Amino acid sequence: MRNSLLFIFLALFISSANAQFGDSSKVIEPVEWSGSIEKIADHSYQLILESEIEEEWHIYSQKTPEGGPLPLWFNYLDAGNGYELVGETQESETKKQFSEIFGVDEIYFEEEARFTQDIKLTDDKLSVIKMELKYQVCKESCISEEYYVVFDLKKDDVKLLQNYDEFQAYGTNPKTTSTDNKEEVSEASQVKQSGKEVKTNFDEDEDKSTLTIFFLAFFSGFLALLTPCVFPMIPMTVGFFTKQSKTRSKGIRNALLYGFFIVVIYVLLGTLVVGIFGADALNALSTNVTFNIIFFILLIIFAASFLGAFEIMLPNSWANKVARQADRGGIVGIFFMALALAIVSFSCTGPIVGTLLVQAASKGGIAPIIGMLGFSLAIAIPFGLFALFPAWMNTLPRSGGWLNTVKVFLGFLELALAFKFLSNADLVLQAHFLEREIFLAIWIAIFGTLAFYLFGKIKLPHDSELPHISVGRLSLGLIILVFTIYLIPGLWGAPLKMISGFAPPMNYSEAPYGVGYTKLGGGGMAGTSEDFPEKAKLGPHDIITFEDYEEGMAYAKEQNLPVLLDFTGYACINCRKMEERVWSEPQVLSKLKNDVVLISLYVDAKESLPENEQYTSETTGKRIRTIGNKWSDFQIREYGANAQPYYIILNHEEQPLNEPVGYTPDVEEYTAWLDKGIENFKK
């Protein structure tokens, strides 16, 4: 049983919990804007924009770092010509969270946002200030939005337009619309008028991190039972209640109360952590450099304790005082007996509890409370069960050296986890001190050493003599050795999906494309074949990719292959998840490399179109200035969709071969969708 629990804990430790649920397509407008003007003094005004954001959606701040999601962007037209900007645009309170996908902080707004900009007029005749507003609104999937804002100082009116021609003509054309009257025409309604319906594909994500914390804590509690400080207490405590009580029912009641108070004590500890830091503040710890370094140091200390360097103990006076209170008997005495267990066993449970609280704190919210609930239940339940069924205690293994082996095993796991927090700090600082290869080398060393320990080749301070190793210990050692060998190819660029979310991202590496590869000017790599298409580049997983629609279609006709049209974005989180976790699967990757021509159109590409190619969209009324604008307009105009990722399989007549799909994290489902499109092309 104890070896099975170790296997389960290891599996939980090395897996990432990023469950996704559902997918829907419908017309949505997740952000509603309004504006106002405040006169500060003569010739001085404050321009105000406010937004209401639908639940679970968010807008990225203008201060979002480069390399991450697209930040909100203001462009005040003709600034310096009739008016001057006073300072920078101020924004309301934001939230911050580290992105494992992009390797940078995400700074964003939820529910609402407010922006203010002070201006000073230098021309008394100026009455209109014009501004362009661009941003992404995201709920896993992202939608790029653009507004043209007019601040009419004389009319004290603010208009948010989506038609560029109306925006340009404002001041001479009276047919402008006001947001106060809700008459502006949204992108969705404009597309409807053109005969198409906008579909936005987004992932209805349900956050399961607290549930993961609960189960991880629950199994950690079972592991805590298998330590020298707790395991011997089970028969002693249950025997005490059953023998000291006058009736068996009373003994069972007292043992159950004992278990209940264990839960209460640890849950109170989790509640105390939330109360001290605050539920919202805890989440910020995950991206705070100082706290991540503190967590790293704490876990190193906990690991050293479990490995036998020293013991972390609470003052003996605490245990003595609590023990005296336990002698009072009754319910109060039972409570203090439970408290005594928590104090006496702290040298074994303390590092586990500390690790759980650190990990839960990085999740934020009530995760520490949930973690302590799971941990304490796992400790309390056996006391209750053995009180109900005393004969079961005969099946318990005898105490011995294997209990210390459990402690050492946990010490190695905590040592490995410690470097995850150091990696977080390094990623936030972008110091490139702990890049992917170094991180993996450290983990290979840690788990390789653990495997040798389990095979009996290494002996630590508190280990007893080991004349032979058990089958269970040998099996666990083999599993750890296999995991260690699995990590080794990661040094040469293997994706290592099993530890996705633990190791730094692939692009945070000395060799992002793998050892021995270097980028070429066209985006390709050294060592590619001579017949590599001239206008293509190597995309994710070395897939030949076109980033121009016409060039890709021409190549598809030449090769007599269908087209996989991929509407994507550099700052699209789910696009990267699809590429890393679905496209990398062999059954998908082989089709993307051999059976289709991939055309990836980036709707957030910032390269400007030549002046003679810029235009105003007949579909949305927006001004198309960049390559990203062009592909976004193309997606809306041709396919009635405006969210990414969005996939379409086309024949050479540019007709869809099956129903387009958005974010599809299920590999089998995405493979079946590819197969159907390819099969329809061959008919």
Side-chain angles (χ1 to χ4, degrees), residues 402-423:
W402 66 270
L403 292 174
N404 189 68
T405 301
V406 174
K407 279 184 64 177
V408 172
F409 179 83
L410 291 173
F412 277 103
L413 291 187
E414 293 201 337
L415 188 60
L417 185 59
F419 284 94
K420 168 58 181 169
F421 289 96
L422 184 61
S423 173

Side-chain angles (χ1 to χ4, degrees), residues 330-627:
I331 294 177
V332 174
I334 294 173
F335 172 80
F336 279 102
M337 284 190 67
L339 184 58
L341 172 68
I343 294 174
V344 171
S345 65
F346 186 80
S347 61
C348 292
T349 61
I352 301 176
V353 170
T355 303
L356 284 172
L357 287 175
V358 166
Q359 185 68 15
S362 68
K363 298 296 181 184
I366 61 170
I369 300 175
I370 299 298
M372 290 300 95
L373 176 63
F375 179 83
S376 58
L377 279 174
I379 291 181
I381 287 174
F383 286 97
L385 288 177
F386 285 120
L388 288 171
F389 308 101
W392 285 8
M393 285 193 291
N394 296 326
T395 64
L396 288 176
R398 293 183 179 181
S399 299
W402 66 270
L403 292 174
N404 189 68
T405 301
V406 174
K407 279 184 64 177
V408 172
F409 179 83
L410 291 173
F412 277 103
L413 291 187
E414 293 201 337
L415 188 60
L417 185 59
F419 284 94
K420 168 58 181 169
F421 289 96
L422 184 61
S423 173
N424 285 348
D426 183 60
L427 284 165
V428 171
L429 291 172
Q430 289 291 294
H432 289 268
F433 171 75
L434 194 61
E435 292 183 317
R436 185 177 176 88
E437 292 89 348
I438 301 297
F439 182 92
L440 291 176
I442 292 171
W443 268 35
I444 290 169
I446 291 172
F447 286 103
T449 304
L450 174 57
F452 276 100
Y453 171 79
L454 292 173
F455 292 146
K457 302 300 182 183
I458 298 174
K459 185 177 179 181
L460 292 174
H462 298 296
D463 286 330
S464 56
E465 291 298 326
L466 188 68
H468 65 273
I469 61 173
S470 65
V471 174
R473 180 165 176 166
L474 174 64
S475 301
L476 183 58
L478 289 173
I479 291 174
I480 299 298
L481 181 60
V482 169
F483 177 66
T484 305
I485 296 172
Y486 165 80
L487 294 177
I488 294 174
L491 298 173
W492 287 271
L496 304 181
K497 294 182 183 179
M498 189 182 293
I499 61 169
S500 175
F502 279 93
M506 293 284 288
N507 62 343
Y508 198 76
S509 168
E510 292 182 2
Y513 292 92
V515 175
Y517 287 94
T518 56
K519 288 190 71 176
L520 296 177
M525 296 180 189
T528 56
S529 62
E530 294 180 0
D531 60 350
F532 189 84
E534 181 181 354
K535 296 182 179 180
K537 63 183 295 185
L538 283 182
H541 314 294
D542 291 352
I543 303 169
I544 294 177
T545 307
F546 290 86
E547 294 186 359
D548 181 88
Y549 181 75
E550 298 298 335
E551 293 171 358
M553 286 299 303
Y555 184 75
K557 293 175 183 178
E558 178 185 326
Q559 299 295 316
N560 193 32
L561 292 172
V563 163
L564 173 59
L565 188 57
D566 164 33
F567 287 102
T568 184
Y570 294 110
C572 171
I573 294 175
N574 270 7
C575 302
R576 300 293 84 76
K577 287 183 179 179
M578 287 292 294
E579 293 164 4
E580 292 179 7
R581 303 174 186 177
V582 178
W583 286 13
S584 60
E585 290 296 322
Q587 64 268 43
V588 175
L589 187 57
S590 63
K591 293 177 174 58
L592 298 181
K593 285 190 172 184
N594 304 312
D595 299 334
V596 299
V597 172
L598 177 63
I599 302 177
S600 293
L601 303 181
Y602 288 84
V603 301
D604 54 4
K606 297 179 181 179
E607 293 88 345
S608 296
L609 290 167
E611 288 286 342
N612 61 341
E613 295 183 18
Q614 296 183 13
Y615 64 97
T616 300
S617 170
E618 295 180 359
T619 306
T620 65
K622 293 181 177 179
R623 187 64 179 171
I624 308 303
R625 299 189 183 91
T626 67
I627 292 175

Side-chain angles (χ1 to χ4, degrees), residues 205-281:
D205 177 57
E206 181 179 343
D207 185 10
K208 295 294 181 182
S209 60
T210 53
L211 190 60
T212 304
I213 285 288
F214 176 83
F215 285 115
L216 182 60
F218 190 78
F219 285 107
S220 298
F222 273 125
L223 284 175
L225 281 172
L226 304 178
T227 59
C229 313
V230 182
F231 187 79
M233 299 289 291
I234 297 175
M236 292 172 54
T237 305
V238 173
F240 172 81
F241 284 124
T242 54
K243 291 178 182 179
Q244 295 297 321
S245 303
K246 295 180 180 179
T247 63
R248 183 173 183 273
S249 60
K250 188 175 180 180
I252 293 174
R253 187 205 68 176
N254 290 341
L256 292 177
L257 275 174
Y258 181 73
F260 171 75
F261 285 133
I262 290 174
V263 174
V264 169
I265 289 167
Y266 282 103
V267 170
L268 284 175
L269 177 61
T271 305
L272 183 63
V273 170
V274 173
I276 292 174
F277 291 101
D280 293 333

